[in-house]
Structures are given as structure tokens and as C-alpha cells.
């Protein structure tokens, strides 16, 4: 009898950093965020408080159960934001279920084929109007001494777009 083990998704950065796969996933995500001009590295302005962030790790699988990729995302700790102080209103670009159901119904009625596509960093299309500063993600503090990320675009967990 053989026992198969499923790799675990780390809960914390100090667990993930021990794995070459997770380190590569974090580096790939940081590169994508920088290429999309998600933030600008800057010294923290006087009187501003940066929002923290944490890494979230997920393993994506193929339909046959094999590992497709390791996915790591920095998520803003938006729960620390206070309405009226850190943000004024919230909005998120998401598809409504009724819209998805309509598209699926049209595909079925018309006898068409439907293909799935993964849009990396699709949430990044929301430009920020307010000034929002975030601490550098763990593991990337070497990008600058005493610098923070001034967010140009939205990230997961942020209250505003």
C-alpha cells in the first residue's frame, strides 16, 4: 500500500521561504506587480501610516490532480483601515453571478464552446485616487532601506479601488 502526500500550503512566510517553489512564486508575483506599476517605492511621508501586508499561498492543480503551479500573493491588511480616515468608499470590479449565468445560458442555447482563461493580476486594473501606503512584502525589504509602497493600483484586501 502506497501513501501519497499532498504538499501543504504554508500559512506563514517563514514556512514558505524554506521552499524553492514558494520563493519562485513570490518572486514571480513581485515581478508582475512591479511590471504593472502597482506601486512606487518611496519614503513614508510624515504623518502617514503604512498598511501592513501578508503573503497568501495556494497550490493550483490540474484536473488530474497534478500540481499546475504554486501561487503566492501579497494581500493588504485592509481590516486595519478606518472609513473616513484611510478610505472614503469601497468598490470592486467583479462579475455578478447573473451575468455569468446569462453567458453560460447563451453558450448552451447556441451550442457554442466555452474556454476558461486565467487573467493574472486582473484585479490590478483599478487605479487608486487616494494616497495609500503599504509596507514592503516580507522577503523584499532589500529593495530599499526605510521605503514603503505607495499604491498606484488596488491589491487584494484593500478597502478602496
Amino acid at each position: 500500500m502506497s501513501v501519497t502526500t499532498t504538499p501543504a500550503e504554508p500559512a506563514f512566510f517563514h514556512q514558505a521561504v524554506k521552499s524553492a517553489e514558494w520563493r519562485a512564486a513570490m518572486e514571480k508575483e513581485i515581478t508582475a506587480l512591479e511590471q504593472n506599476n502597482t506601486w512606487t517605492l518611496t519614503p513614508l511621508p510624515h504623518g502617514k501610516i503604512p498598511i501592513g501586508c501578508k503573503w497568501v499561498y495556494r497550490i493550483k492543480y490540474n484536473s488530474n490532480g497534478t500540481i499546475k503551479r504554486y501561487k503566492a500573493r501579497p494581500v493588504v491588511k485592509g481590516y486595519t483601515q478606518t472609513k473616513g480616515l484611510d478610505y472614503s468608499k469601497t468598490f470592486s470590479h467583479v462579475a455578478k453571478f447573473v451575468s455569468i449565468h446569462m453567458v453560460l445560458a447563451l453558450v448552451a442555447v447556441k451550442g457554442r464552446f466555452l474556454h476558461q482563461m486565467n487573467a493574472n493580476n486582473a484585479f490590478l486594473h483599478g487605479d487608486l485616487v487616494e494616497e495609500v501606503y503599504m509596507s514592503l512584502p516580507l522577503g523584499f525589504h532589500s529593495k530599499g532601506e526605510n521605503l514603503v509602497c505607495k499604491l498606484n493600483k488596488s491589491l487584494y484586501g484593500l478597502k478602496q479601488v
Side-chain angles (χ1 to χ4, degrees):
M1 174 159 117
S2 67
V3 177
T4 59
T5 58
T6 304
E9 294 172 344
F12 303 102
F13 173 80
H14 72 274
Q15 297 167 330
V17 77
K18 295 175 184 176
S19 160
E21 291 87 1
W22 289 117
R23 285 193 310 273
M26 289 185 284
E27 186 64 46
K28 182 178 178 180
E29 182 68 8
I30 290 293
T31 300
L33 292 170
E34 288 175 338
Q35 287 175 346
N36 283 307
N37 193 34
T38 306
W39 60 59
T40 304
L41 292 178
T42 182
L44 183 65
H46 181 71
K48 297 287 186 176
I49 300 172
I51 301 169
C53 70
K54 68 175 189 167
W55 284 101
V56 174
Y57 306 97
R58 295 288 178 263
I59 298 174
K60 301 294 182 172
Y61 294 95
N62 292 309
S63 58
N64 65 2
T66 59
I67 294 175
K68 185 174 187 175
R69 72 178 178 274
Y70 292 80
K71 192 156 189 84
R73 288 219 168 116
V75 175
V76 178
K77 296 179 180 178
Y79 56 83
T80 63
Q81 293 179 281
T82 305
K83 188 169 185 171
L85 181 63
D86 298 322
Y87 70 99
S88 56
K89 60 183 179 178
T90 61
F91 179 78
S92 182
H93 303 285
V94 293
K96 293 183 179 181
F97 281 116
V98 69
S99 301
I100 295 169
H101 289 167
M102 184 183 71
V103 169
L104 292 174
L106 284 170
V107 167
V109 168
K110 298 287 185 178
R112 302 290 184 171
F113 292 98
L114 186 67
H115 298 278
Q116 179 181 342
M117 180 187 96
N118 184 23
N120 285 334
N121 301 323
F123 63 93
L124 295 173
H125 296 294
D127 290 334
L128 290 175
V129 177
E130 299 165 331
E131 279 190 14
V132 180
Y133 297 91
M134 178 188 81
S135 301
L136 286 170
L138 287 174
F140 294 90
H141 292 275
S142 62
K143 295 212 176 249
E145 188 80 20
N146 298 318
L147 295 179
V148 295
C149 301
K150 179 184 183 289
L151 297 180
N152 302 319
K153 300 184 181 198
S154 185
L155 280 177
Y156 286 114
L158 194 63
K159 296 280 185 182
Q160 63 271 72
V161 177

